[in-house]
Amino acid sequence: IAGITQAPTSQILAAGRRMTLRCTQDMRHNAMYWYRQDLGLGLRLIHYSNTAGTTGKGEVPDGYSVSRANTDDFPLTLASAVPSQTSVYFCASSDRAGDSYGYTFGSGTRLTVV
Amino acid sequence: GQNIDQPTEMTATEGAIVQINCTYQTSGFNGLFWYQQHAGEAPTFLSYNVLDGLEEKGRFSSFLSRSKGYSYLLLKELQMKDSASYLCAVRGPGNYGQNFVFGPGTRLSVLP
């Protein structure tokens, strides 16, 4: 692994089903994030974690939950998927607030809820 | 509130120069970033400005004016592979990056 790995790459999900998007990083970054990207709306923060054991809500957290049991993994769970959660989901990580490189992004998960 | 504006789309010719503007109003400022995102791929880091002025990196340059809430990304000697979306993002104060705000992105099409 080099960087951030997301799985699955894409998924079609029936409404009402539960789904967990996986994210793993090998850079030992302290902070990790989940974004969704929708046409015309750009990247919007769902949840974040500044360090293992802590999480916080972003701009659009409703319907999503996260956990951060260790430094490397940051799964995103949709408890009961709805069509409005159809989107491309990006996991990202960063080291420090003063880091001049900002984020490193995973390759994304394209989720379609039908 | 926080708001970032960019043009939705731009078109330019191979070999030309293009300037993509970004204006922002944010509560606090701790750096401005430009990312490139090819269709179907993840955003990748291009440039970072935290002080006023121009940062040059090869064919790409980025300018920042904090007093005006304004930045631009300048792409020189355009190549077909530069066709992508360009995202402006502002980092606010606070720990790590939960205060990142992304603009909607500018889709650049480079024509032969």
Side-chain angles (χ1 to χ4, degrees):
Chain A
I1 300 177
I4 296 181
T5 300
Q6 290 186 235
T9 302
S10 64
Q11 181 75 44
I12 299 174
L13 185 68
R17 296 295 297 270
R18 180 184 179 90
M19 171 90 188
T20 295
L21 309 185
R22 300 184 299 279
C23 175
T24 299
Q25 55 114 350
D26 66 352
M27 298 171 287
R28 308 303 294 174
H29 281 172
N30 284 316
M32 297 186 75
Y33 315 88
W34 275 105
Y35 281 86
R36 60 177 291 172
Q37 188 174 38
D38 303 289
L39 194 64
L41 296 177
L43 286 158
R44 293 181 293 168
L45 183 64
I46 304 170
H47 285 286
Y48 65 92
S49 169
N50 284 341
T51 189
T54 68
T55 62
K57 295 180 178 180
E59 179 185 357
V60 288
D62 293 343
Y64 306 95
S65 63
V66 291
S67 61
R68 187 88 183 277
N70 56 62
T71 297
D72 298 343
D73 300 302
F74 191 43
L76 176 74
T77 297
L78 289 68
S80 179
V82 295
S84 62
Q85 293 177 311
T86 294
S87 187
V88 180
Y89 292 85
F90 287 101
C91 180
S93 70
S94 68
D95 194 3
R96 303 177 302 276
D99 192 309
S100 63
Y101 287 90
Y103 290 171
T104 298
F105 284 89
S107 55
T109 295
R110 184 175 297 273
L111 180 66
T112 303
V113 182
V114 297
Chain B
Q2 311 205 83
N3 188 54
I4 298 179
D5 288 317
Q6 303 178 234
T8 303
E9 293 190 37
M10 298 183 71
T11 302
T13 304
E14 192 175 17
I17 299 173
V18 70
Q19 177 175 313
I20 302 174
N21 295 324
C22 170
T23 58
Y24 64 90
Q25 301 97 39
T26 58
S27 52
F29 180 86
N30 188 24
L32 186 142
F33 296 78
W34 285 94
Y35 288 83
Q36 181 189 59
Q37 185 177 24
H38 286 101
E41 298 183 9
T44 56
F45 170 81
L46 280 180
S47 70
Y48 167 71
N49 296 71
V50 68
L51 300 175
D52 291 350
L54 188 69
E55 294 284 341
E56 297 186 81
K57 187 183 296 184
R59 293 189 300 113
F60 293 3
S61 302
S62 57
F63 172 83
L64 174 67
S65 170
R66 289 172 295 169
S67 62
K68 296 182 179 179
Y70 169 69
S71 173
Y72 67 73
L73 180 69
L74 193 71
L75 293 74
K76 303 175 186 176
E77 302 169 15
L78 280 172
Q79 302 175 9
M80 298 298 289
K81 67 178 182 180
D82 297 329
S83 292
S85 288
Y86 292 85
L87 312 180
C88 174
V90 173
R91 182 171 60 196
N95 294 326
Y96 298 103
Q98 73 264 30
N99 293 317
F100 251 88
V101 178
F102 284 87
T106 298
R107 184 181 303 173
L108 174 66
S109 299
V110 180
L111 305 178

